[in-house]
């Protein structure tokens, strides 16, 4: 559970959670448009019931898992996490959800699986942003298996104790707090266990700007902007920029996953 | 049709347009303060001001082709469009300097290191002497040199359009439409220039 989880630097530096309005009206969810307000404006069109997640690949029990059945099997807890976008802004979000490791255990991860690939729903008649052709839909993301199994990695199904709004990735989305926000893929319909490193959507679009790992790192700049500082959302016109923390403040918990790796190369 | 527009346009006082076109400034500040620009008003304000500046530069660029191809004469508004564009570019730059980046060392690093900022800055630098010489005294004083100097606006608009295209996370429609308008309006001048050279 959360209480038992060491939070280290993140806990010491934790800011107040953002307001419901900040969290639900300032979103990147290109399936509904590229403006930060588009998801809140257009996500209503999305049908989230019924919903199921196909879990396939290197698992013992592949198949379509109904969202309700997943919820019955999982224990929901609150996790207050920092969210750092690759665009150099940040929020603090009180998520409700369960550890991804528990969901993967439900399907039984087979020996030899090394990566997890995720896929967002593709339904252009309800997700108007998917009508534009410059992204090869559906949106995909990937994690190394040890990243996926890390206790900080959760599947979120709520915010502030309420069902997660559609613009935030209803009915269930990934949250990996030490990585840039785009890794935390929304409205997931498929999870595949594999031994090949998946190519994620942003890596596919601009490989020199977005890598597979996308760990928050103030020392490795985006080619077009600095990642050393971040703007805190919700502070109005005079909101200052604050220093960005290594691994978004979760260094104590996750740095070990990347020991010996050149983080400039594996960005 | 063109004649009727020309007659109407002659009746519109330039000062009224100045006031009309400066109204977005208090409006945007009010919106930024009251949540109308979304949850992150700094970037939104910066973006809106930059976009208005680019629109004004494009209007200025459209005046000559409008006269040449459609016989519509808006020449008496050209200085106004230019000066307003400069005002909006300056405000856009100020929001970036003061509200957005804030840290002096980072401002300088950004100008040198980030090509889209270097390009935007260059556009501002090119526009500055044009704004400074947008008065009758300078026109008389500089004579034919004034026309030459003011051709810098072509480079400034191109750089401004490029600045917009480069700053989005990927190629989005809006900046590309602005760029297309700029390239189109500049291309309309080409046959005219060639004719001048052959004569």
């Amino acid at each position: 559970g959360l209480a038992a989880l060491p939070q280290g630097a993140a806990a010491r530096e934790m800011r107040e959670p953002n307001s419901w309005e900040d969290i639900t009206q300032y979103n990147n969810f290109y399936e509904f448009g590229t403006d930060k307000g588009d998801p809140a404006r257009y996500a209503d069109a999305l049908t989230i019931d019924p919903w199921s997640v196909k879990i396939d690949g290197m698992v013992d029990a592949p198949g379509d898992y109904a969202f309700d059945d997943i919820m019955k099997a999982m224990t929901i807890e609150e996790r207050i996490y920092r969210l750092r976008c690759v665009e150099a802004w940040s929020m603090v979000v009180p998520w409700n959800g369960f550890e991804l490791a528990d969901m993967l255990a439900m399907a039984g991860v087979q020996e030899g699986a090394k990566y997890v690939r995720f896929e967002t729903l593709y339904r252009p008649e309800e997700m108007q942003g998917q009508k534009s052709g410059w992204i090869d839909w559906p949106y995909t993301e990937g994690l190394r298996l040890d990243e996926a199994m890390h206790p900080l990695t959760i599947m979120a199904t709520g915010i502030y104790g309420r069902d997660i709004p559609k613009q935030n990735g209803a009915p269930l989305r990934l949250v990996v707090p030490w990585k840039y926000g785009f890794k935390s893929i929304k409205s997931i319909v498929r999870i595949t266990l594999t031994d090949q490193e998946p190519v994620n959507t942003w890596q596919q679009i601009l490989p020199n700007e977005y890598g597979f790992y996308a760990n928050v790192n103030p020392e490795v700049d985006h080619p077009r902007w600095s990642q050393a500082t971040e703007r805190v959302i919700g502070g109005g016109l005079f909101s200052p920029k604050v220093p960005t923390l290594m691994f978004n403040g979760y260094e104590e918990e996750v740095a070990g996953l990347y020991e010996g790796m050149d983080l400039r190369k594996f960005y | 049709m063109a004649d009727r527009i020309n007659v109407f346009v002659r009746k519109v006082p330039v000062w009224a347009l100045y006031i009309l076109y400066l109204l977005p400034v208090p409006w945007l500040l009010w919106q930024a303060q009251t949540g109308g620009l979304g949850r992150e008003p700094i970037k939104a304000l910066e973006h809106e001001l930059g976009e208005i500046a680019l629109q004004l530069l494009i209007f200025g660029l459209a005046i000559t082709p409008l006269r040449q191809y459609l016989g519509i004469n808006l020449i008496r508004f050209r200085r106004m469009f230019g000066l307003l564009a400069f005002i909006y570019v300056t405000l856009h730059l100020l929001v970036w300097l003061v509200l957005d980046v804030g840290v002096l060392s980072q401002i300088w690093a950004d100008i040198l290191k980030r090509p889209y900022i270097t390009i935007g800055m260059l556009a501002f630098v090119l526009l500055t002497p044009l704004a400074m010489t947008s008065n009758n005294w300078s026109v008389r004083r500089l004579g034919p040199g004034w026309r030459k100097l003011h051709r810098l606006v072509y480079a400034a608009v191109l750089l401004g359009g490029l600045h917009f295209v480069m700053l989005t996370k990927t190629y989005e429609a809006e900046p590309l439409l602005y760029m297309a308008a700029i390239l189109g309006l500049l291309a309309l001048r080409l046959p005219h220039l060639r004719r001048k050279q052959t004569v």
Side-chain angles (χ1 to χ4, degrees), chain A residues 21-22 26 30 34 87 134 202 206 210 221-222 224-226 229 231 233-234 236-239 241, chain B residues 29 32-33 39-43 45 99-101 106 110 113-116 166-172:
Chain A
E21 286 71 27
D22 286 346
Y26 191 80
Y30 280 18
T34 55
E87 297 164 350
W134 54 267
W202 278 107
L206 290 166
Y210 310 98
D221 281 350
H222 185 278
R224 287 179 289 152
W225 55 83
S226 164
T229 57
R231 164 132 304 124
I233 298 301
L237 261 186
F238 302 101
S239 170
K241 281 193 170 171
Chain B
L29 286 172
Q33 270 306 317
R39 312 310 296 182
E40 209 288 75
I42 300 173
K43 271 271 179 309
L45 183 65
L99 298 179
D100 191 352
V101 188
Q106 210 179 326
D110 270 359
K113 256 172 79 181
R114 323 254 164 240
Y116 81 92
M166 286 173 76
L167 67 86
T168 49
K169 210 149 76 173
T170 172
Y171 292 107
E172 282 165 33

Side-chain angles (χ1 to χ4, degrees), chain B residues 33 37 44 48 59 116 119 126 164 182:
Chain B
Q33 270 306 317
L37 292 183
E48 293 291 333
F59 293 161
Y116 81 92
I119 285 173
L126 291 182
F164 192 13
I182 292 165

